[in-house]
Amino acid sequence: MTNDTDMYALSIITENRAGVLRDVATVMADHQANIQMIQQSIITTGANTGKAYLYFEFEECENHGELVADLARVPSVVDVTIYPPFSRIFGSRVIIIGGGAQVAQVALGAVNEADRHNIRGERISVDTIPLVGEQTLALAVDAVARLPRASILVLAGSLMGGEVSRAVDRVRQAGIPVIALKMAGSVPQHADLIVTDPIQAGVFAVMHVSGKAVFDINRVRGREF
């Protein structure tokens, strides 16, 4: 497993045309940069509107200065900037999905707990999205497994089941633990942990992903608090 201290990141602004990703990836391969993550998008605001934005996280590059210089020489490249990776800036992500009031309370507990850990040098971020509707919730839950650095999911609502429960199973199979509030529906039966108090659910989630806390969801899996 790659340690985040061995990871590097860079962003590249390029002309929006076919073959750009191939040209950039070829240069990175020539420098033995082992790409771990790629994000691509089209810039929609500012001076570079309409151009392409590429973001890479990588390891095992011997000379970053030469890599940046060679990337800048690619004809379609407009700008190259090197950064610390997201794992060193935003760290592990706690994802909270569900109804607005419950999401807010879980986020309250998670943010307060993350603050305690981040003051001591950790990096734990909290992402929330209030949603309603079985299909909408199921799509959002499934997407958690595709989110970079997503470390745990909290489902905060009054009623969840059906396709949402099946999505929870898929997220857990991807290695992401799931905490559910005590609610109606079948989701609590599929979660790793059931918590009645939403604030406490947020605290538990952060404690699990922390590298310094003693709480481990694997030791209490299947229990209700």
Side-chain angles (χ1 to χ4, degrees):
M1 182 177 178
T2 301
N3 190 299
D4 74 349
T5 58
D6 301 322
M7 294 287 291
Y8 306 90
L10 56 80
S11 67
I12 306 172
I13 297 175
T14 75
E15 299 297 333
N16 180 19
R17 62 176 181 79
V20 170
L21 182 58
R22 175 203 60 207
D23 296 341
V24 168
T26 298
V27 173
M28 297 189 72
D30 289 343
H31 283 269
Q32 303 299 309
N34 185 22
I35 297 170
Q36 301 290 305
M37 185 177 77
I38 303 174
Q39 291 181 345
Q40 297 175 255
S41 60
I42 301 301
I43 300 171
T44 58
T45 59
N48 291 306
T49 297
K51 292 185 172 63
Y53 179 85
L54 310 178
Y55 174 83
F56 295 86
E57 291 194 359
F58 61 96
E59 59 172 346
E60 298 177 3
C61 175
E62 293 183 358
N63 191 315
H64 296 103
E66 290 183 3
L67 171 61
V68 170
D70 286 348
L71 285 169
R73 281 191 281 269
V74 174
S76 56
V77 168
V78 176
D79 180 73
V80 182
T81 307
I82 197 159
Y83 300 101
F86 281 136
S87 57
R88 245 178 278 160
I89 301 171
F90 293 109
S92 300
R93 299 169 73 180
V94 175
I95 312 297
I96 307 167
I97 297 174
Q102 292 95 333
V103 163
Q105 290 299 297
V106 174
L108 176 63
V111 169
N112 285 338
E113 183 69 14
D115 184 57
R116 292 199 313 113
H117 294 280
N118 292 345
I119 284 173
R120 296 180 293 180
E122 294 197 75
R123 288 292 183 270
I124 301 170
S125 55
V126 180
D127 296 77
T128 68
I129 180 167
L131 295 170
V132 294
E134 180 180 337
Q135 191 60 36
T136 302
L137 284 165
L139 288 171
V141 171
D142 266 325
V144 171
R146 305 193 298 273
L147 288 175
R149 307 180 328 280
S151 301
I152 192 166
L153 169 63
V154 184
L155 288 174
S158 300
L159 171 63
M160 293 186 191
E163 189 55 41
V164 181
S165 297
R166 289 183 281 276
V168 167
D169 290 338
R170 292 189 287 270
V171 168
R172 292 180 62 206
Q173 288 169 7
I176 299 173
V178 178
I179 294 175
L181 295 187
K182 188 173 183 180
M183 66 177 83
S186 59
V187 156
Q189 301 167 30
H190 294 253
D192 292 283
L193 186 66
I194 305 165
V195 182
T196 302
D197 178 15
I199 293 177
Q200 189 65 50
V203 172
F204 276 150
V206 171
M207 290 178 66
H208 174 74
V209 304
S210 168
K212 298 179 180 180
V214 296
F215 178 77
D216 183 355
I217 202 170
N218 297 306
R219 300 180 64 179
V220 293
R221 179 170 281 117
R223 295 181 59 183
E224 180 178 320
F225 291 92

